[in-house]
Amino acid sequence: MTKVIPASELIINPDGSIYHLNLKPEFLASSVITVGDPERVAKISQYFDHIEVKVAKREFVTHTGTYKGKRLSVMSTGMGTDNIEIFMTELDALVNIDLHTRKIKPKHTALKIVRVGTSGSMRKEIPAGALVASNFAVGLDTLMQYYAADFSQKELAIGNAVQQSLGLGFRPYCFEGSKPLLERLCTNDTILGNTATCPGFFGPQGREVRLKPAIPDIIERLAAIDVEGVQLTNFEMETAGYYAMGKMLGHEVLSLNAIVANRITQEFVDDPSEVVERLIHHTLENI
Ligand code: R1P
Ligand code: URA
């Protein structure tokens, strides 16, 4: 007998929508494009043939419609893996939990989820303006201290190498993205990379404004790691959380990065909207 999930553990709003995302199951497409910035949702859905649903609550904005006849949802998450934990759990509940009986459905549904986000390059040869698909992602945050997950030998080795290199008191978690999505979305105009997901934009990515980062050479230390040919290429703040939650919940997830800054050459793109727009078209055409 599957257990009934109590109201305190999975909160449903009075109208039957899920607590933070404010969505009912019928509002969600099985292919989902995710973005950090709520304003980026409309920048993607403007290309839809038509929009059937628009819902917003907190940083979670959803537009569902069709692009060239294919049903898609575009959703914003805000910044950070703590948001991704909420986002992925509720997204999964929309398809894998019967919200009326509060029981796990006997048949699992796997969603396709593609992140379209901005990112900073830690490699001279990956310039601002490039598009990077994340093969592996390493989370420097502590989200996975609170979940039990299975790691491959390679994922464990990468996590260990990062822990050793940064001298952290916990092992960063590493997961691989979806191979089928990578095959479709990592095309000639996309660089295959591996992403460091950080619990902040400034100190945790080695940026010094008024405060000195505790690991000032974090870029050099991360860039020097090589585990069976896996080298880290870029910084952002969500990908490892997506890959961890996606793997544990059984969804296909891929993160695509529009590189807006190069941390080695210290360049920033003249027009961030241009590279993001290129990534949006790339994603809509290939998802
Ligand atoms: C920081 O500026 C934000 O940009 C990146 C980081 O992951 C972080 O969320 O992604 P988005 O452009 O999707 O927000
Ligand atoms: N997002 C990040 O998290 N870091 C960058 O350098 C650029 C975008």
Side-chain angles (χ1 to χ4, degrees):
M1 256 212 347
T2 47
K3 66 166 186 169
V4 174
I5 301 166
S8 60
E9 312 303 292
L10 183 70
I11 303 161
I12 314 288
N13 298 317
D15 68 355
S17 62
I18 204 145
Y19 187 51
H20 297 94
L21 302 185
N22 220 22
L23 293 179
K24 296 181 185 180
E26 60 269 27
F27 294 168
L28 184 71
S30 58
S31 293
V32 184
I33 297 176
T34 66
V35 298
D37 180 358
E39 290 189 0
R40 202 177 299 146
V41 173
K43 289 186 179 145
I44 300 181
S45 68
Q46 67 173 318
Y47 299 113
F48 282 9
D49 317 322
H50 85 113
I51 299 174
E52 72 188 70
V53 174
K54 281 188 180 184
V55 174
K57 187 173 177 186
R58 298 178 185 246
E59 52 269 76
F60 301 114
V61 174
T62 302
H63 292 181
T64 295
T66 57
Y67 176 77
K68 295 188 179 172
K70 184 183 171 84
R71 192 164 184 254
L72 294 175
S73 292
V74 185
M75 304 180 71
S76 62
T77 63
M79 293 186 268
T81 58
D82 45 355
N83 281 12
I84 299 308
E85 193 258 359
I86 294 172
F87 176 82
M88 288 292 287
T89 303
E90 292 197 357
L91 202 66
D92 174 75
L94 287 172
V95 292
N96 287 316
I97 291 176
D98 181 326
L99 300 187
H100 298 290
T101 63
R102 300 183 151 279
K103 288 182 177 175
I104 297 172
K105 291 179 182 173
K107 189 173 176 299
H108 177 82
T109 297
L111 296 166
K112 287 195 189 82
I113 302 161
V114 177
R115 168 185 177 266
V116 168
T118 59
S119 175
S121 167
M122 61 171 91
R123 304 229 161 238
K124 196 169 172 213
E125 64 276 16
I126 302 180
L131 306 182
V132 172
S134 307
N135 188 15
F136 288 89
V138 185
L140 305 186
D141 61 293
T142 53
L143 174 64
M144 287 304 290
Q145 300 293 304
Y146 299 93
Y147 284 102
D150 294 327
F151 298 89
S152 70
Q153 286 305 313
K154 193 164 179 177
E155 289 166 343
L156 273 178
I158 296 166
N160 281 330
V162 174
Q163 178 178 11
Q164 222 170 38
S165 164
L166 301 186
L168 298 174
F170 63 96
R171 190 183 62 233
Y173 58 99
C174 176
F175 287 100
E176 198 171 1
S178 158
K179 282 199 168 77
L181 285 178
L182 195 67
E183 269 173 30
R184 279 165 67 155
L185 285 141
C186 190
T187 57
N188 286 343
D189 41 11
T190 321
I191 296 166
L192 183 64
N194 301 294
T195 298
T197 296
C198 300
F201 184 83
F202 293 99
Q205 298 184 27
R207 286 188 170 94
E208 181 176 339
V209 181
R210 278 224 303 139
L211 301 177
K212 280 215 174 305
I215 313 174
D217 57 346
I218 191 167
I219 301 177
E220 291 75 14
R221 290 197 203 193
L222 290 176
I225 292 168
D226 185 330
V227 177
E228 299 170 39
V230 174
Q231 297 184 329
L232 293 167
T233 50
N234 62 299
F235 287 112
E236 51 72 78
M237 296 172 57
E238 291 85 25
T239 300
Y242 275 116
Y243 285 8
M245 297 299 292
K247 169 113 181 261
M248 291 188 292
L249 292 165
H251 300 290
E252 298 291 327
V253 191
L254 184 72
S255 172
L256 298 176
N257 306 273
I259 302 296
V260 292
N262 185 296
R263 303 293 311 292
I264 307 299
T265 61
Q266 301 195 320
E267 57 172 335
F268 189 80
V269 281
D270 295 333
D271 177 11
S273 63
E274 185 279 323
V275 58
V276 170
E277 185 74 5
R278 241 186 311 124
L279 184 57
I280 289 171
H281 285 294
H282 173 83
T283 307
L284 284 170
E285 288 303 318
N286 293 291
I287 192 171

